[in-house]
Amino acid sequence: MSATTPPKLKTSAMIASFADPGQKTANAPFGRALAELAESDERIVGLSADLAKYTDMHIFRDAHPGRFFQMGMAEQLLFGAAAGMAEIGLVPFASTYSVFAARRAYDFICLDIAEPSLNVNIVGGLPGLTTGYGPSHQATEDVAIFRGMPNLTIVDPCDSVDIEQAVPQLAASDGPTYLRLLRGKVPTVLDEYDYTFELGKAAVLRPGADVVFVSSGLMTMRALQAAEALAAHHVDVAVVHAPTLKPFDEDTVVAEIDTPRLAVTLENHTVIGGLFETVASALARRGVGRRVVPIGLPDRFLDAGALPTLHDRYGLSTDAVVSTVLRELG
């Protein structure tokens, strides 16, 4: 490169990590868990729509090249092929970005996979606000889109522990699943709690007398961080992690909310159609008249930019969560 040639600019916005500086992380937990599972289950196959590197499917590809299928930029074909593989007894994990699965290939997933209730595992990268690339890549409404689809299980993992433990359970479940994938250097948080992922179940990670957080996905990490910070304000916060959004563990969640404590939901998703409305409908069905404060993304298309800036702007940062709670407590 000559002295007059400017250096090539690079961006990490597409694959930016939401991990805090110095936080313990695990590299590509999904890809490693899938590759490990395939060692003992010859039915496991992997597919990608030209995004293996960006959904950690490349780990599986390199370990099991004969069982990996690159479908190119054709998401409808990706899920149609996965359905055919499931029909003959294979267990496919098909990965792309969440926006492309939810928006572009919905009809193929619905009629080819969900209607016959095939064991196809849909792996969606960049869920919610985990990229700075703006509305074309931010899947802020994917849960709202998928919740109405019959037979589909939806999992929103918090960290590497959730992902590693979820993969074999997703493969073993009878019908289709949708995993909101956290990829790359994924924080390891839940190993510090007496926690084991169980498909369809929520877990109380910590007790608290004043406030109860019900959270999913990366917002469980933020909920735990905010609970620690709020302790300095003499506010005692319980945290309930609900990684399975459908089917939803109403028994655990409603029991925790039906108390005099301030109840707050936290989700990396629009407040329309996600965890907050799942909780609210469960309370209404059971005749529980409790107010719930939603912390989530607004009902609009979001800006592009650096993730820490965007998480602050849209209320997902730990500081923003603490401020919301203190304001509610008055």
Side-chain angles (χ1 to χ4, degrees):
M1 181 180 295
S2 69
T4 58
T5 303
K8 183 178 180 181
L9 297 177
K10 298 181 179 180
T11 177
S12 61
M14 185 71 81
I15 56 174
S17 174
F18 62 89
D20 296 327
Q23 187 174 27
K24 181 168 59 174
T25 61
N27 190 41
F30 164 70
R32 297 184 187 283
L34 188 63
E36 180 180 350
L37 179 63
E39 295 289 344
S40 59
D41 189 342
E42 63 183 13
R43 301 172 303 157
I44 301 294
V45 292
L47 303 87
S48 185
D50 203 34
L51 289 171
K53 177 181 177 182
Y54 299 103
T55 56
D56 292 345
M57 185 62 80
H58 68 293
I59 303 293
F60 175 86
R61 176 198 65 198
D62 295 346
H64 304 281
R67 293 154 68 179
F68 171 76
F69 301 87
Q70 177 57 268
M71 308 308 294
M73 294 184 187
E75 289 78 17
Q76 297 94 333
L77 175 62
L78 169 74
F79 294 114
M85 292 177 182
E87 285 276 14
I88 63 170
L90 298 174
V91 179
F93 281 74
S95 69
T96 183
Y97 287 157
S98 293
V99 285
F100 302 148
R103 299 176 190 166
R104 188 172 299 169
Y106 180 91
D107 195 43
F108 289 76
I109 293 171
C110 187
L111 295 181
D112 290 354
I113 295 172
E115 192 273 335
S117 196
L118 296 175
N119 186 355
V120 174
N121 300 283
I122 300 152
V123 181
L126 304 185
L129 191 51
T130 53
T131 177
Y133 267 31
S136 65
H137 286 75
Q138 293 163 344
T140 57
E141 81 287 29
D142 56 318
V143 175
I145 291 171
F146 277 136
R147 266 183 68 211
M149 186 180 293
N151 297 331
L152 183 66
T153 293
I154 302 174
V155 173
D156 191 17
C158 164
D159 71 342
S160 64
V161 174
D162 257 350
I163 293 170
E164 290 165 358
Q165 295 182 9
V167 166
Q169 294 185 42
L170 297 177
S173 65
D174 291 332
T177 68
Y178 171 58
L179 176 70
R180 301 186 88 213
L181 177 68
L182 305 174
R183 55 83 53 207
K185 295 186 182 299
V186 178
T188 302
V189 176
L190 298 176
D191 61 329
E192 299 180 11
Y193 300 84
D194 184 19
Y195 171 82
T196 301
F197 175 85
E198 186 177 352
L199 192 62
K201 296 295 183 182
V204 180
L205 300 181
R206 57 174 285 164
D210 302 317
V211 179
V212 56
F213 286 161
V214 178
S215 56
S216 68
L218 69 87
M219 290 308 292
T220 292
M221 179 184 81
R222 296 280 162 78
L224 292 166
Q225 293 169 335
E228 292 293 334
L230 285 163
H233 297 272
H234 307 290
V235 177
D236 192 18
V237 181
V239 177
V240 182
H241 177 42
T244 307
L245 298 177
K246 185 183 177 185
F248 191 65
D249 185 359
E250 292 189 2
D251 290 343
T252 298
V253 172
V254 171
E256 288 295 319
I257 290 180
D258 191 15
T259 73
R261 298 174 294 182
L262 173 69
V264 182
T265 58
L266 302 91
E267 60 189 310
N268 173 37
H269 184 272
T270 171
V271 293
I272 305 297
L275 176 65
F276 167 65
E277 291 193 352
T278 299
V279 170
S281 64
L283 294 172
R285 272 194 302 273
R286 296 182 177 221
V288 177
R290 300 295 307 173
R291 176 174 178 262
V292 178
V293 176
I295 292 177
L297 298 171
D299 180 26
R300 66 176 188 265
F301 294 110
L302 308 184
D303 297 333
L307 282 183
T309 300
L310 295 177
H311 279 211
D312 265 333
R313 180 172 301 172
Y314 295 116
L316 299 191
S317 68
T318 301
D319 287 346
V321 173
V322 170
S323 295
T324 297
V325 171
L326 292 177
R327 183 171 62 251
E328 287 291 335
L329 292 175

